[in-house]
Amino acid sequence: MTATTSAISRKELFLKACRGEAVPRLPVWMMRQAGRYLPEYREIRAERSFLEVCKTPELAAEVSMQPFRRLGVDAIIVFCDILIPAEAMGMELELGDAGPNLPAPIRTKADVEKLKLFDPEKETAFLPKAIRRIVREAGADVPVLGFAAAPWTLACYGGRKNQRRIRHR
């Protein structure tokens, strides 16, 4: 932290900014911050698949912490994929060179009815384990952010063709 923010923690800086309150500076974090540009990330990905990294708490925590250690950002984004909850709800999730894909996207009411409720501590237990590891290493004063796909994202997943189809219904 810089001298101008030493009196305010990362957590308080982030929360004040979220509430629209005055802050000495804007907090910084980056989407895809654990991305392809970090050599330590590329080393892990050279040996492990994307989903394996997401679903292995030690690896997900490590990849999440890398930009925090290297760049000193104000918040840590949990390394995971926004479609992990969809997979836990019973949707097939594939990961190819073009990124994650839902081969059978939701199109009908019947598709929605096939989705299942899930217990995050069972079907996605790797995620809270990764978050706990991140908090232990970074400290409780560093915000930890996560993202998941909203229904619109799931309905549109698969490119512009799917988006056009959804918008015109």
Side-chain angles (χ1 to χ4, degrees):
M1 280 193 275
T2 65
T4 59
T5 60
S6 60
I8 186 171
S9 69
R10 284 181 165 111
K11 183 178 179 180
E12 191 57 31
L13 178 72
F14 180 79
L15 292 173
K16 282 179 169 263
C18 287
R19 292 188 296 259
E21 297 174 12
V23 291
R25 65 173 178 80
L26 292 177
V28 176
W29 72 94
M30 295 168 273
M31 290 298 296
R32 304 264 189 244
Q33 63 186 10
R36 296 180 180 107
Y37 62 91
L38 288 178
E40 50 270 57
Y41 170 81
R42 289 193 304 265
E43 284 178 29
I44 290 172
R45 286 286 287 115
E47 297 177 6
R48 309 292 184 107
S49 74
F50 182 85
L51 285 176
E52 183 181 1
V53 175
C54 289
K55 294 179 178 183
T56 306
E58 300 79 16
L59 294 174
E62 171 58 27
V63 169
S64 299
M65 290 296 301
Q66 289 171 349
F68 178 74
R69 288 188 212 115
R70 185 181 273 255
L71 305 173
V73 292
D74 295 306
I76 298 169
I77 298 175
V78 178
F79 186 82
C80 198
D81 189 81
I82 64 171
L83 297 177
I84 292 291
E87 182 182 47
M89 293 169 65
M91 296 182 73
E92 183 182 354
L93 174 61
E94 294 177 348
L95 189 67
D97 293 337
N101 180 42
L102 297 172
I106 297 171
R107 296 288 177 252
T108 66
K109 182 178 178 184
D111 292 339
V112 172
E113 290 170 352
K114 289 179 194 172
L115 297 175
K116 65 176 186 165
L117 294 177
F118 69 96
D119 179 349
E121 286 289 341
K122 289 181 183 172
E123 283 89 349
T124 58
F126 52 88
L127 190 51
K129 286 178 183 175
I131 292 168
R132 285 189 285 272
R133 288 180 77 92
I134 294 165
V135 171
R136 272 195 309 271
E137 185 173 338
D141 203 45
V142 178
V144 177
L145 310 175
F147 299 89
W152 174 255
T153 304
L154 292 176
C156 292
Y157 222 83
R160 292 183 184 170
K161 180 180 176 184
N162 290 338
Q163 291 173 5
R164 280 194 299 274
R165 189 176 336 158
I166 297 300
R167 281 190 299 224
H168 295 314
R169 288 191 174 204

